[in-house]
Every structure is written in C-alpha cells, then in structure tokens.
C-alpha cells in the first residue's frame, strides 16, 4: 500500500519589501550598526540564514519590493495590500509574513489591517539592526514572526507586528525609539508575547478589522489625498494652504496635547470646511484620545476628531473613509468605530 506524505507544517508566504532587516553594513566609517544600506539582501537570503524556520513552516518566498520603508508611497501601499490579499485568498497559503523597514511599518500594518479581508494571520516584522551588526535582531524577529503566522491561535486577530519578542496589534503599535531593540510599543501594551517560538496571548482588540472592515480597495485606484500638519510653536497657515492647493480632501492637524488648535490659526482653519476640506484633529503626543468639543467647537466647525489614532494612521483611515464617504459626520463615525 502506498501512502501519500501528509503535510504537517503550515504554509507561510513570506513577502520581502526591504528595510534594515534586509540591510548590510558598510562599516568603513567605523559605525557598525548605524552605517549600513537598507534593502540590499533578498528575502531568500534572509531565510537561508535562519535554518530554524524549516521546523516551523513551509515557506514560499517572494520579493515584492526592495526599498527603504521611507520610500513607501500610497501606490506601493496599495500594491502591497493587493498582493497580501491575493496570497491570503489562496488555499495553499495558511498565513503571510511581510518583512518591512521599521520606519513606516506601523502605517503599512494598519493599512493591511483595514483592507485585507481574511482571518488568516498576517504578520509584519523587521529589524533595528542590519544583518551584519554584531547583535543583529532580524533573524530572531523573522523566526518569531513565522512562529506567530504559523500558529492557529493567531487567526482572526487582525494584522500583527512582531518585534523584540512582542506581538502588537496594527491598530495601536508605533515605532517610539530611533535605535533601541524595544523600539515598538502600543499605548495599551502588546497583545501577547512570543515564548519558546510560541505565541502567548493576553489581550484582544475590540475594534473591527480585516474581515469586519468596510473598506474595499478593489474599488479604489488611488487613495484620496490627505495631508498631515504637525504642530509646533510659531505655525504658519501657508502649510495647510499648500495641502489645499494640492487638492487634499482632508488635513490631519497633529495638535498639541488633546489636538489643540492655536488661537492665531483658528479663523483660517474655520474656513477650510466651506472650501471642501475636512480638518481632522489628532494629538501629536501619539497616545490618548482627542475629546470632541473639548478644546474646540468641533460641532460648529464641522471638524472631526481621531479618537486615539496617531497622525500617520489617522491619515490612512481618513483616506480610506473618504473613498467611501464625504461628510464630516460620516468620517467621525469611522474614527469612533475603528
Ligand atoms: N530606514 C529603515 C527602513 O525603515 C529603518 C529600518 O528598517 O529599521 O527601511
């Protein structure tokens, strides 16, 4: 009697996009971790340096992009989301791992979280140090990301970021340090940890994502333009005006504290609504809610508050919402819901 070999390992699609995890040092200036070029090592080479991956999953590797994540534009983000969605739709794929630069990982992860309509695990990971650094973090991060993507308990949790043995939700995570290995943090803490190559879960999200998300990128060619203006002392209205001139449908005002608008800009910003541009009040602090009508009359102005979304993610949520809705009321409901 012949028996066909039974498949025992989960099948994980690994999508390479570049970043420091795919970086290599130049070291000629004697800075072993800081002097390197991002996005030069292929995704296939990355996995060949982590033989432990073979006991966790059968990997199918593809190199979608090879860029520093600073070079992500909306067209590349849409391309990544369409590709991850296509991979998730395949029966022979059980989960997806995306290797990505850390600088904009929180934005790409959130965009996938809102647009990939699948319960299969989608995990982003990267590295704070290139592979040529003395204590490179990329190999362990990659191993842990594959361990999380391979685990049946990871499905239906939304898109995840796995860095430094922590599992974060794409809704909340942000890069909060320029150098340290624990550069990623979520205001309410990570969802779980990776211990002995196995995820341990401690929290779950309450907001909709992936399969429950209303946003449909199959109907979108380009994202509506949304700008972000960061607050500082001595601001100028011309910066907002530049976004208006570019055709922005909304501007995220990354305000002080609870999204405060300086008094000397209030008259100018009051006129934006009548010109067809929605003002979205966010906090430049990166955590905590902006309270509607608390330090501005949002109802009278037709302004929107972000709940607790940080400005870069608020840009993406506003753009997706504006692809489906027009009014400040509808945009506000989206911010309350997601
Ligand atoms: N500049 C790099 C990137 O985001 C930084 C990193 O990956 O850590 O692509």
């Amino acid at each position: 009697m012949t028996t066909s070999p039974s498949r025992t390992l989960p099948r994980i699609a690994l999508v390479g996009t570049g970043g420091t995890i795919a970086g290599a040092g130049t070291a000629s200036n004697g800075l072993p971790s800081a002097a390197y070029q991002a996005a030069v090592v292929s995704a296939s080479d990355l996995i060949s340096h982590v033989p432990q991956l073979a006991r966790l999953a059968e990997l199918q590797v593809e190199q979608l992009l090879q860029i520093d994540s600073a070079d992500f534009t909306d067209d590349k983000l849409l391309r990544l989301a369409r590709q991850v969605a296509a991979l998730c739709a395949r029966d022979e794929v059980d989960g997806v791992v995306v290797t990505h630069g850390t600088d904009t990982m929180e934005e790409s992860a959130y965009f996938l979280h809102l647009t990939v309509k699948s319960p299969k695990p989608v995990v982003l990971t990267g590295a704070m140090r290139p592979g040529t650094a003395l204590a490179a973090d990329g190999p362990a991060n990659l191993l842990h990301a594959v361990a999380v993507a391979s685990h049946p308990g990871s499905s239906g949790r939304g898109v995840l970021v796995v860095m430094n043995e922590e599992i974060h939700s794409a809704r909340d995570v942000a890069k909060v340090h320029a150098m340290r290995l624990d550069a990623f943090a979520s205001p309410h803490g990570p969802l779980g940890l990776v211990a002995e190559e196995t995820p341990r879960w401690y929290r779950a999200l309450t907001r909709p994502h992936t399969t429950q998300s209303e946003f449909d990128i199959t109907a979108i060619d380009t994202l509506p333009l949304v700008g972000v203006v960061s607050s500082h002392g001595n601001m100028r209205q011309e910066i907002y005006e530049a976004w208006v001139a570019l055709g922005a449908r909304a501007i995220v005002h990354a305000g002080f504290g609870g999204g405060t608008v300086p008094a000397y800009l209030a008259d100018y910003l009051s006129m934006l609504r009548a010109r067809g541009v929605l003002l979205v009040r966010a906090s430049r602090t990166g955590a905590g809610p902006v309270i509607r009508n608390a330090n501005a009359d949002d109802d009278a102005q037709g302004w929107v508050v972000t709940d607790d979304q940080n400005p870069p993610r608020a840009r993406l949520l506003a753009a997706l919402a504006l692809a489906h809705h027009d009014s400040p009321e509808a945009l506000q409901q989206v911010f309350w819901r997601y």
Side-chain angles (χ1 to χ4, degrees), residues 18-21 36 38 67-70 100-105 126-129 175:
T20 295
I21 192 168
Y36 66 93
I67 60 171
D68 189 299
S69 74
H100 195 291
T102 61
D103 288 342
T104 63
M105 189 184 289
M128 292 301 293
R129 297 175 182 158
K175 183 174 180 179

Side-chain angles (χ1 to χ4, degrees), residues 12-19 21 43 46 59-65 67 69 72 76-77 79-81 83-85 87-88 95-102 104-105 108-109 112 116 121-127 141-142 145-146 149 159-163:
I12 302 299
L14 185 113
V15 180
T17 70
I21 192 168
L46 286 185
L59 292 176
Q60 312 156 25
V61 184
E62 71 175 74
Q63 191 75 51
L64 183 71
L65 297 164
I67 60 171
S69 74
F72 259 95
K76 293 192 178 77
L77 199 52
R79 192 173 152 205
L80 175 64
Q83 183 59 13
V84 171
L87 288 166
C88 286
V96 177
V97 169
V98 179
T99 56
H100 195 291
T102 61
T104 63
M105 189 184 289
S108 295
L112 299 178
V116 173
V122 174
V123 180
L124 279 75
T125 195
N141 286 343
L142 184 57
V146 171
V159 172
L160 304 166
V161 166
V162 171
M163 291 288 291

Side-chain angles (χ1 to χ4, degrees), residues 85-166:
L87 288 166
C88 286
R90 282 161 58 173
D91 288 341
E92 65 276 18
V93 170
D94 298 310
V96 177
V97 169
V98 179
T99 56
H100 195 291
T102 61
D103 288 342
T104 63
M105 189 184 289
E106 70 204 66
E107 290 168 65
S108 295
Y110 189 52
F111 193 72
L112 299 178
H113 186 74
L114 294 174
T115 58
V116 173
K117 299 192 180 298
S118 171
K120 293 181 184 175
V122 174
V123 180
L124 279 75
T125 195
M128 292 301 293
R129 297 175 182 158
T132 46
L134 185 58
D137 54 329
N141 286 343
L142 184 57
L143 186 69
H144 295 157
V146 171
V148 172
S150 307
H151 200 276
S154 303
S155 63
R157 293 181 184 272
V159 172
L160 304 166
V161 166
V162 171
M163 291 288 291
N164 197 40
E165 300 181 340
E166 292 183 335

Side-chain angles (χ1 to χ4, degrees), residues 234-248:
N234 202 42
M235 295 180 76
R236 299 288 299 265
Q237 71 187 45
E238 288 83 354
I239 305 302
Y240 297 85
E241 193 57 29
W243 280 113
V244 175
L246 284 168

